[in-house]
Amino acid sequence: MHTINNKVLSGEELADLHKWLQQYDINTSRLRREFSDVLPLAEMMKRDHPRLVDLNNFPKRSSVQLKVANWETFNYKILNKFNLTLGREFMELLSTGVPGAAEVLLHEIMRLKKRQRVVETRNAILAQEQIWEENDEVKTVVVNKQVGDGIVQVPQKMILYSLYEKMARDNQAKDLIIEANQKRLAHMENIIKVKTERIDELLMQMGKVPNKLCGNSPRLQCSSFARLPSTSMISYEALRKRHPNTPASSD
């Protein structure tokens, strides 16, 4: 239970209060006198809670004692339903028209009504989503769209915001998986490249030409590998077979 006591409002709080009171056509220059009795506040509350507030319970009073009695009745029958209560001293300040007391009370009422609006809006959204969930996930609604100087109504497809959030989370998770796989693939390609270069070096050291070199040179004929001479020595008989004019050996 929140107890309302007298305090000093800031300039910003007073400005918000005066702006809010304009929708009730209340003269802010006479708050101290007008709200010394509970009836004006009871009339405000009845607009939003017609079944809760019975104006017959709050007849207009002129004496301070009767005004305090009115505030006590309002405190018990109305404010307690909203988890609010007025301190005894604060009710006396209101009844005697102490400057600033009415503003403090009305500021608390303004905060109460704003909280109620937030709750009502949230409940309405949840109720609408519940209706949509029981039917199709995609709905077609009519929205106002400005075309040139005029406003026209056009159909627009809508989905539940909760469904949109779920899809966004799923897509984000998939993007992370794709990114991780791409990094892993690039790492594997780099390993393959390094190993291929190492194999080519080993083949060259063993006297074999890798396939890719055979294909690039027309002078090298090879199927899979072209063997290079394994030694720099050649026999004399083999030399005479290749070159008949070679003189005979003296041995």
Side-chain angles (χ1 to χ4, degrees), residues 45-55 57 77-78:
M45 299 291 288
K46 188 174 180 61
R47 295 185 186 183
D48 295 328
H49 310 282
R51 296 183 179 181
L52 178 62
V53 181
D54 184 0
L55 295 180
N57 293 325
K77 289 183 174 292
I78 307 301

Side-chain angles (χ1 to χ4, degrees), residues 12 62 64 76 90 93 98 122-123 195 200 219 234 246:
E12 183 179 356
S62 56
V64 173
Y76 173 73
F90 187 64
L93 294 177
V98 172
R122 185 185 299 114
N123 291 339
K195 289 189 175 182
D200 291 345
R219 295 183 178 180
I234 186 171
T246 300

Side-chain angles (χ1 to χ4, degrees), residues 141-154:
V141 297
V142 177
V143 297
N144 294 328
K145 184 176 182 181
Q146 185 171 0
V147 179
D149 296 331
I151 302 295
V152 297
Q153 291 185 335
V154 296

Side-chain angles (χ1 to χ4, degrees), residues 41-58 73-84 109 112-113 116:
L41 180 57
E43 292 174 343
M44 287 177 57
M45 299 291 288
K46 188 174 180 61
R47 295 185 186 183
D48 295 328
H49 310 282
R51 296 183 179 181
L52 178 62
V53 181
D54 184 0
L55 295 180
N56 294 323
N57 293 325
F58 313 104
T73 303
F74 187 79
N75 191 36
Y76 173 73
K77 289 183 174 292
I78 307 301
L79 292 182
N80 284 357
K81 301 295 190 301
F82 301 102
N83 202 33
L84 294 174
I109 298 300
L112 169 66
K113 290 185 174 295
Q116 290 176 337

Side-chain angles (χ1 to χ4, degrees), residues 120-246:
E120 291 172 357
T121 301
R122 185 185 299 114
N123 291 339
I125 293 174
L126 293 176
Q128 184 63 51
E129 288 194 350
Q130 182 66 30
I131 294 174
W132 284 5
E133 287 178 353
E134 293 174 356
N135 298 282
D136 297 332
E137 294 178 343
V138 180
K139 290 291 182 181
T140 301
V141 297
V142 177
V143 297
N144 294 328
K145 184 176 182 181
Q146 185 171 0
V147 179
D149 296 331
I151 302 295
V152 297
Q153 291 185 335
V154 296
Q156 182 173 336
K157 290 186 177 181
M158 308 285 287
I159 64 171
L160 298 177
Y161 187 77
S162 56
L163 181 61
Y164 162 76
E165 285 185 324
K166 181 179 181 301
M167 295 174 62
R169 289 194 299 268
D170 293 344
N171 289 336
Q172 185 177 11
K174 292 178 181 178
D175 290 341
L176 293 175
I177 294 174
I178 292 173
E179 182 179 358
N181 288 335
Q182 288 177 340
K183 290 182 178 179
R184 189 177 296 110
L185 178 60
H187 179 65
M188 293 177 65
E189 289 178 344
N190 186 55
I191 292 176
I192 293 173
K193 180 181 178 182
V194 172
K195 289 189 175 182
T196 301
E197 292 176 352
R198 180 57 179 162
I199 290 172
D200 291 345
E201 292 176 0
L202 292 174
L203 290 175
M204 292 292 294
Q205 293 175 7
M206 294 172 61
K208 298 179 180 181
V209 182
N211 289 338
K212 58 184 181 180
L213 296 181
C214 294
N216 294 334
S217 176
R219 295 183 178 180
L220 293 175
Q221 298 179 356
C222 56
S223 55
S224 59
F225 296 101
R227 288 185 174 274
L228 294 176
S230 59
T231 177
S232 58
M233 303 294 293
I234 186 171
S235 65
Y236 182 77
E237 289 75 8
L239 180 61
R240 292 198 63 187
K241 288 180 180 180
R242 293 186 182 180
H243 304 280
N245 296 327
T246 300

